[in-house]
Amino acid sequence: MSEEKYIPLNFIEEIIEEDLSNGKHGGRIHTRFPPEPNGYLHIGHAKAICTNFELAKKYGGKTNLRFDDTNPTTEETKYVEAIQRDIKWLGYEWEGEPLFASDYFDDLYQYATKLIESGDAYIDESTAEEIAEQKGVPTSPGKESPHRHRSIEDSLRLFQEMKDGKHPDGSMVLRAKVDMTAPNMHLRDPVIYRVKHQHHHRTGDKWCIYPMYDFAHGQSDSIEKITHSLCSLEFIHHRPLYNWFIEKLGIFPSRQIEFARMNVAYMITSKRRLLRLVDEGVVSDWDDPRMPTISGLRRLGYPAKAFRVFCDKVGLAKRDNLIEIELLESCVREELNKVSTRMMVVMDPLKLTITNYPDDYVEMVDVDNNPEQEDAGKRKVPFSKHLYIEQGDFMVDAPKKFFRLGPEKTVRLKNGYIITHRDHTIDADGNVTEVFVEYYPESKSGSDTSGIKAKGVLHWVSREQAVSIDTISYDRLFTDPTPLGHEGKDMMDFVNKDSKHIDSKALAEPHILEVGDSEHLQFMRKGYYIKDQSSTTEKLVFNKTISLKDSWGKAQKKMK
RNA sequence: CGGGGUGUAGCGCAGUCUGGCUAGCGCACCUGGUUUUGGACCAGGGGGUCGAAGGUUCGAAUCCUUUCACCCCUACCA
């Protein structure tokens, strides 16, 4: 018997479980993820995706993917494709084919006609400015439009003409007749159809009128028999309207439930602003590894599982939040530690020569591909008299707790032998240029009979077989956790001007040549890396996903 | 003259509806141990009196009253 671990329910799970116990919808759970195809998915979408898919999975339900494509001005097919790729990569499979709000344009047109016939909608020829004027401000009631009491026949005729392309953009709209005095602005006779002589990415030129969000989203939910329509808190004011249409139209009663958006420190999730970063050349593209997009973070090397765990750990509630980026990074490290192939890579090479090791001899030593995984196996790595170690692993005046190499110090070369420093050379500037050591033949890893204890363990690479690679490390794109949260300041004021560092010094063990494109690597004692798409057969390029935790470095910083 | 939402450790969440164990959990932080990654793992620890005030009660984060703060709503965007 395993101990039952109590996992508390979030407020949406409580609603679902109550619905389930009441037998609502015959115990059926159906959610949906409804992106507008006008940009790439970002970390905020990941939260919505995980929430919708995981909730359905937990309760044996289904999740639709529906593109909310009711505004042809901003939407494109390339985004439709990118969005599908990102959702799949995150590890989710939607029910059936991808769906589109534009598939329902005929139904929506019928719904609108029905509303006009029942006297619940009318054609308004007021200008946008006049309509805004009529709606007024939240603190005082609005005024009725002069067209509000136009005859049903007139509205019907005009709506038909709108559809037939007889009226130019902006000349008239269809408005729902709700309540101009409502304190909720969305109830003050909202516009539900507008004229837009604009080519649509799917329906082409079939339509020149398009439904507004409020007259498409809830109806689409209803058509798809979505049981729980989850959205972010800012849509809470739309809910009364959402329900009003369901009631007036007598259609399937989907239920809208709002939760708080996830905000992550140092990241922004506004498509408009992300586009600006691309357009102004702050980053190379939407999939730049510094972008908070799914594609960018994937390229950086964040594994899909880390997103899922992260979203789960963040939880679900209704209060404003700002998640520390350290939580995301912790999820990334946790997953990467489990799956990464360990590699020996020296980032900043320093020559090391084993004076008592045979010349021209190359020994193949065993290295674990991944000590966290029993079945990951081992591989052979060349070891020889002439090696490179990390410049930072040798210090002439080493502090007491420096468990690395220094004058007369003894350390182990990872998976190789224990060595003791004997000498080193220094150039005119005082930089150490080469270290000379002696090794203990009987101290070989796996068959050590030397009895010598070495506190420090260093990674290394054999000089003759070393492969030169490029590495790119990234810093945060912004210098402030909330670049949008400063009155009178622009996010560009907080852009980190020095967020990308390309380095060509690194030397890797030969196995680096056989690494897969999406294989997560751990450069031992350094960090996690992944091959970048800019790699060529001549030159491999690796993105640094994230460094290993570095308690030594942290302690050093504290000392200063 | 409006309406809606939210306030529990540094951050994120549970506990509130159905008052009652020393207010829990994750990340972060600290200490010790194990270890051929100063990683990882294991063990332990510090930190909140529950936005504030008043009330009900033997007893309140949980119930009542008042109050404060923050966020959202004024697109022919979604």
Side-chain angles (χ1 to χ4, degrees):
Chain A
M1 280 294 285
S2 65
E3 195 81 0
E4 281 282 320
K5 199 177 161 193
Y6 172 70
I7 299 170
L9 300 178
N10 63 50
F11 77 100
I12 295 180
E13 290 169 330
E14 273 180 16
I15 291 172
I16 289 177
E17 295 205 355
E18 197 185 326
D19 288 346
L20 249 23
S21 68
N22 292 336
K24 194 173 178 183
H25 303 310
R28 192 174 58 82
I29 301 297
H30 205 147
T31 60
R32 106 266 89 119
F33 173 62
E36 182 185 12
N38 68 346
Y40 290 86
L41 260 25
H42 52 62
I43 184 86
H45 292 113
K47 176 70 186 169
I49 292 168
C50 291
T51 299
N52 278 291
F53 280 92
E54 293 294 343
L55 236 24
K57 188 194 291 178
K58 175 170 181 176
Y59 294 103
K62 298 168 177 173
T63 304
N64 289 356
L65 166 61
R66 179 174 73 237
F67 290 95
D68 236 332
D69 56 350
T70 57
N71 183 3
T73 311
T74 57
E75 297 152 5
E76 292 180 47
T77 302
K78 68 168 180 177
Y79 295 125
V80 171
E81 287 156 4
I83 288 168
Q84 293 187 47
R85 190 189 63 224
D86 286 349
I87 298 171
K88 282 182 192 163
W89 179 78
L90 278 175
Y92 296 109
E93 218 172 296
W94 52 86
E95 179 66 16
E97 292 298 306
L99 304 170
F100 296 82
S102 55
D103 289 342
Y104 312 134
F105 282 172
D106 285 306
D107 305 85
L108 264 16
Y109 181 79
Q110 292 307 318
Y111 286 156
T113 303
K114 186 173 173 186
L115 232 39
I116 297 173
E117 286 168 344
S118 61
D120 292 309
Y122 60 97
I123 295 293
D124 194 341
E125 290 169 79
S126 304
T127 64
E129 295 69 37
E130 287 166 346
I131 290 176
E133 173 66 25
Q134 291 156 17
K135 287 185 181 174
V137 292
T139 49
S140 56
K143 302 188 299 278
E144 295 190 352
S145 163
H147 306 107
R148 195 174 203 260
H149 299 290
R150 171 199 302 284
S151 75
I152 289 174
E153 291 66 34
D154 265 12
S155 283
L156 244 18
R157 177 178 53 79
L158 288 168
F159 190 47
Q160 174 75 43
E161 289 178 11
M162 258 172 79
K163 180 191 177 224
D164 293 341
K166 294 187 178 153
H167 300 284
D169 289 13
S171 58
M172 59 182 66
V173 294
L174 182 65
R175 284 230 255 174
K177 194 185 289 182
V178 191
D179 179 6
M180 288 306 290
T181 67
N184 180 343
M185 297 297 283
H186 296 277
L187 261 21
R188 321 246 268 221
D189 288 12
V191 172
I192 58 178
Y193 257 97
R194 78 283 216 184
V195 182
K196 243 181 207 283
H197 290 271
Q198 172 95 208
H199 188 85
H200 186 278
H201 74 110
R202 298 191 82 242
T203 60
D205 298 312
K206 179 180 177 188
W207 297 88
C208 62
I209 59 171
Y210 294 92
M212 299 288 290
Y213 166 84
D214 283 307
F215 201 68
H217 198 102
Q219 289 70 9
S220 301
D221 283 344
S222 195
I223 288 168
E224 294 173 16
K225 303 257 189 305
I226 298 301
T227 57
H228 302 264
S229 179
L230 315 179
C231 62
S232 52
L233 229 38
E234 59 264 36
F235 288 95
I236 197 165
H237 309 101
H238 294 254
R239 194 171 69 213
L241 228 205
Y242 184 103
N243 293 144
W244 190 87
F245 287 129
I246 283 174
E247 198 192 314
K248 291 292 179 187
L249 264 13
I251 54 181
F252 181 83
S254 300
R255 174 175 178 187
Q256 174 179 311
I257 301 167
E258 311 83 15
F259 62 90
R261 269 198 355 240
M262 176 183 77
N263 302 300
V264 182
Y266 298 98
M267 290 186 172
I268 59 170
T269 53
S270 148
K271 283 183 198 166
R272 202 183 83 238
R273 296 191 175 91
L274 290 174
L275 180 62
R276 202 177 146 207
L277 291 174
V278 175
D279 286 345
E280 298 191 17
V282 173
V283 296
S284 60
D285 207 341
W286 285 89
D287 69 345
D288 187 291
R290 290 165 293 181
M291 288 284 268
T293 50
I294 307 288
S295 49
L297 295 169
R298 171 173 59 227
R299 189 170 164 190
L300 218 210
Y302 280 25
K305 175 85 179 294
F307 284 88
R308 286 183 253 128
V309 171
F310 173 60
C311 290
D312 180 56
K313 286 188 174 179
V314 160
L316 201 62
K318 298 177 82 163
R319 55 185 101 114
D320 293 341
N321 58 74
L322 183 65
I323 318 291
E324 289 176 335
I325 197 148
E326 286 81 358
L327 180 60
L328 210 207
E329 293 176 341
S330 155
C331 296
V332 170
R333 286 196 181 96
E334 184 183 19
E335 177 61 15
L336 254 21
N337 179 49
K338 290 180 199 157
V339 304
S340 295
T341 304
R342 268 58 174 179
M343 301 283 295
M344 296 261 241
V345 180
V346 174
M347 308 303 293
D348 189 9
L350 169 63
K351 284 181 182 173
L352 178 127
T353 301
I354 307 171
T355 56
N356 61 338
Y357 194 86
D359 295 331
D360 303 323
Y361 180 60
V362 179
E363 179 175 357
M364 300 304 284
V365 303
D366 287 331
V367 173
D368 278 323
N369 287 319
N370 183 349
E372 300 291 316
Q373 276 182 21
E374 299 215 348
D375 56 356
K378 294 176 187 297
R379 67 169 181 284
K380 301 287 188 186
V381 176
F383 181 91
S384 65
K385 181 186 183 89
H386 302 287
L387 308 173
Y388 283 112
I389 60 166
E390 209 68 64
Q391 188 84 46
D393 283 340
F394 181 83
M395 266 184 105
V396 178
D397 294 308
K400 326 113 237 33
K401 289 220 169 179
F402 188 73
F403 307 143
R404 305 179 188 181
L405 207 52
E408 298 305 311
K409 283 198 162 218
T410 296
V411 297
R412 172 176 289 282
L413 292 173
K414 175 92 183 163
N415 298 296
Y417 298 88
I418 292 175
I419 55 169
T420 297
H421 166 277
R422 292 302 177 213
D423 197 10
H424 58 269
T425 55
I426 296 178
D427 68 11
D429 301 324
N431 300 312
V432 176
T433 51
E434 184 166 359
V435 178
F436 299 92
V437 301
E438 284 180 8
Y439 86 121
Y440 305 91
E442 67 284 7
S443 68
K444 186 174 180 181
S445 287
S447 55
D448 185 352
T449 55
S450 69
I452 303 167
K453 281 191 81 177
K455 176 82 177 166
V457 178
L458 270 45
H459 62 285
W460 47 270
V461 98
S462 178
R463 239 182 281 173
E464 188 73 29
Q465 294 80 12
V467 177
S468 172
I469 61 170
D470 279 4
T471 56
I472 308 179
S473 61
Y474 303 90
D475 282 337
R476 287 175 186 144
L477 236 199
F478 294 104
T479 56
D480 186 275
T482 55
L484 305 178
H486 301 273
E487 196 102 16
K489 289 229 180 192
D490 185 71
M491 70 171 184
M492 292 298 178
D493 297 339
F494 300 103
V495 166
N496 178 2
K497 302 285 193 300
D498 196 27
S499 56
K500 182 177 182 178
H501 300 267
I502 303 175
D503 190 287
S504 305
K505 291 200 300 288
L507 295 171
E509 57 163 293
H511 183 70
I512 197 92
L513 297 169
E514 286 149 52
V515 149
D517 285 345
S518 55
E519 183 175 358
H520 296 287
L521 307 174
Q522 185 199 88
F523 290 179
M524 269 187 280
R525 301 209 302 137
K526 286 296 172 183
Y528 296 100
Y529 288 78
I530 192 163
K531 200 194 282 184
D532 187 64
Q533 60 200 36
S534 64
S535 292
T536 63
T537 42
E538 289 77 44
K539 192 69 167 183
L540 292 175
V541 182
F542 291 86
N543 288 321
K544 181 183 190 176
T545 307
I546 192 167
S547 63
L548 243 38
K549 270 215 241 171
D550 181 15
S551 44
W552 168 247
K554 204 162 78 178
Q556 291 289 284
K557 263 186 194 170
K558 264 191 195 168
M559 300 288 275
K560 291 174 185 172

